[in-house]
Amino acid sequence: MRSVFVVAHHEIRLLARDVKALLLLFVLPIALIVIAIFALGSLYGGGMTETRVLLVDEDGSALSRQIAVDLGTYPQLLIETSDPFLNDSATTQPMTRERAQAILDSGDRFAAIVIPGGFGEAVTTGAAARIQILRNPAQTAGPAIAFGILQGIATRLSADVIARGVTSAQLQPAGAAPAPPGQAERMLADVQRATAEAWENPPVVVEQTDVVEVTNGEIDPLKQNVPGYAVMFSLFTALLCGESLLRDRDTGAYRRLLCAPLSKGALLLGKLLAAFCVAVIQLIVFFSFGHFVFGMELGNSAAALVLMCAVLALTTTSLGIFLAAVVKTQNQLFSLTSFLILVMSAVGGCWWPLEITPPFMQKLAYFTTLNAWAMSGFKDVLWYGRGVAALGPEIAALLAISAVAFGVGWWRFRFE
């Protein structure tokens, strides 16, 4: 058993002197985690980015100004009523249709709302009234958000117009004597006021209820990106483990080592132990970085998180022995491992939540990648605050993958 630790210690010392390998294992992943946190934050409720929308008010009525105020109350939108690209910050230039069109053409903004002239009068008289959305089709999310919000405003205005029209018709039915002077106007004003008050507490509402409890009541990009990139880059320990095995074989190191009282099994287990320790340290660094730098919550069970890290490290290092056994050269190992890491990370939900992919891809992920199982386990721990007992399926799947990979690697690997 002592020989296993001797081999592992030797491997770790060699890795500690390899600056490029250390950059690949620690610095590059942390840089990508930071980029992903800021770039993909809008996928999650807590990190949603404001959509900048231009507003062109060609009407200038009290109603159009009120619509601008209403739009400004939505946190998803940042309404720009003046030219945001004027060099002179002291000058305010109201946004025009032509200028909005130019900004959309340049790609600096993707949506503009235009309230045309005569809009307020049309709403007041019950005539057809329209609000336009100009959009750049290169981006769909921003215009879609603006459209949904405007639909709600338009529905409220339409209900007001319909209510006043129905009231007016009831006051003056066909063939009836004219209403006393001022009565119609007073009743219409009362209807309009009552309608506005009713919209403050509408009779029909849509409620959204979370039926699954998550830690701290929210899902944030940290809990996707940190474990996602941690899983992906832990697979690079498989590359380093396999590369170490092939390097020692090609340089004849095994012939010298096997002359000593050292078994082949001890050599493989020593390589596995060294790679396992590196992978565990790597995962600890990633999760510590997310916690101490960005304040990411680590769930309610430290034991569950440690267990997931340990099992994932065992699986990735076992995969390294398997890969070293099925390829013939180091170049083949680099090519095959790089391909597998990128494909499994994309399919297995490391780059984006697996839940946003089509159902067939979700099933494919669990059948073909270890990433999906690892991400599912980390979600149980980080998102839902679950403990060790909830990790049974994920732990069993990862241990099965590890056993098959190590078993085939042990059987197939040739020391000559």
Side-chain angles (χ1 to χ4, degrees):
M1 189 64 183
R2 181 176 180 276
S3 58
V4 173
F5 291 102
V6 171
V7 173
H9 180 258
H10 174 70
E11 288 297 313
I12 293 174
R13 288 183 60 190
L14 288 176
L15 178 61
R17 294 198 293 264
D18 191 341
V19 177
K20 292 182 179 179
L22 293 175
L23 289 174
L24 175 67
L25 288 176
F26 295 98
V27 179
L28 178 60
I30 287 176
L32 291 178
I33 287 172
V34 173
I35 293 172
I37 287 170
F38 291 110
L40 302 178
S42 60
L43 286 176
Y44 310 87
M48 181 166 287
T49 304
E50 291 177 325
T51 299
R52 294 178 177 268
V53 178
L54 306 172
L55 177 63
V56 180
D57 185 0
E58 297 178 336
D59 187 37
S61 65
L63 181 57
S64 66
R65 291 192 294 271
Q66 183 60 46
I67 289 176
V69 172
D70 292 344
L71 289 171
T73 63
Y74 290 89
Q76 303 95 323
L77 298 181
L78 180 59
I79 301 298
E80 297 176 320
T81 58
S82 59
D83 193 331
F85 298 102
L86 281 178
N87 294 327
D88 185 2
S89 58
T91 303
T92 301
Q93 182 67 43
M95 183 59 58
T96 64
R97 185 187 294 260
E98 292 74 18
R99 180 58 182 151
Q101 181 67 58
I103 294 174
L104 295 179
D105 289 341
S106 68
D108 292 318
R109 297 290 185 271
F110 295 95
I113 298 171
V114 178
I115 304 176
F119 176 82
E121 182 180 357
V123 172
T124 302
T125 60
R130 287 178 172 79
I131 301 177
Q132 296 176 302
I133 294 182
L134 310 180
R135 65 173 185 163
N136 182 333
Q139 203 250 37
T140 58
I145 292 173
F147 180 79
I149 291 174
L150 280 175
Q151 280 282 72
I153 293 175
T155 299
R156 187 178 63 193
L157 293 174
S158 297
D160 182 49
V161 171
I162 292 171
R164 286 190 284 112
V166 171
T167 302
S168 180
Q170 292 298 319
L171 286 172
Q172 189 66 42
Q183 180 182 354
E185 289 75 8
R186 288 193 299 272
M187 292 193 67
L188 287 173
D190 291 341
V191 168
Q192 189 170 8
R193 183 172 56 256
T195 302
E197 292 174 355
W199 274 107
E200 296 296 326
N201 296 287
V204 180
V205 297
V206 177
E207 287 187 348
Q208 181 172 272
T209 303
D210 293 332
V211 296
V212 178
E213 183 179 356
V214 297
T215 55
N216 294 329
E218 64 178 15
I219 298 298
D220 61 57
L222 293 163
K223 296 175 183 177
Q224 165 64 32
N225 295 322
V226 172
Y229 283 91
V231 171
M232 183 178 78
F233 277 94
S234 69
L235 287 169
F236 279 97
T237 58
L239 175 63
L240 292 179
C241 180
E243 191 270 338
S244 175
L245 286 166
L246 294 180
R247 181 191 63 236
D248 287 352
R249 185 192 66 186
D250 296 341
T251 59
Y254 290 137
R255 287 193 297 271
R256 297 188 295 272
L257 289 171
L258 291 174
C259 291
L262 191 66
S263 67
K264 294 181 179 180
L267 275 175
L268 282 181
L269 288 175
K271 296 280 188 180
L272 178 67
L273 178 60
F276 173 82
C277 291
V278 171
V280 170
I281 294 171
Q282 186 186 38
L283 291 168
I284 291 174
V285 169
F286 293 160
F287 285 104
S288 298
F289 177 81
H291 177 67
F292 291 109
V293 176
F294 287 98
M296 181 184 75
E297 294 295 330
L298 298 179
N300 299 326
S301 173
L305 182 59
V306 170
L307 178 62
M308 276 301 306
C309 290
V311 173
L312 174 61
L314 178 63
T315 306
T316 56
T317 50
S318 298
L319 183 63
I321 294 177
F322 168 81
L323 291 171
V326 299
V327 300
K328 296 182 179 179
T329 66
Q330 293 185 48
N331 287 336
Q332 289 180 2
L333 176 70
F334 285 125
S335 299
L336 177 61
T337 305
S338 299
F339 173 79
L340 287 177
I341 290 173
L342 294 176
V343 172
M344 290 197 301
S345 298
V347 175
C350 290
W351 295 353
W352 43 71
L354 195 59
E355 291 77 12
I356 70 173
T357 62
F360 82 91
M361 287 194 65
Q362 297 181 33
K363 294 179 180 178
L364 181 68
Y366 285 100
F367 275 109
T368 61
T369 75
L370 64 88
N371 306 56
W373 292 104
M375 289 300 295
S376 177
F378 283 123
K379 283 181 181 178
D380 282 343
V381 176
L382 300 178
W383 292 25
Y384 307 124
R386 294 168 182 164
V388 173
L391 300 177
E394 291 85 358
I395 296 298
L398 291 174
L399 288 178
I401 295 171
S402 178
V404 172
F406 184 78
V408 173
W410 185 296
W411 169 56
R412 292 272 299 174
F413 187 74
R414 298 292 179 263
F415 287 85
E416 297 291 339

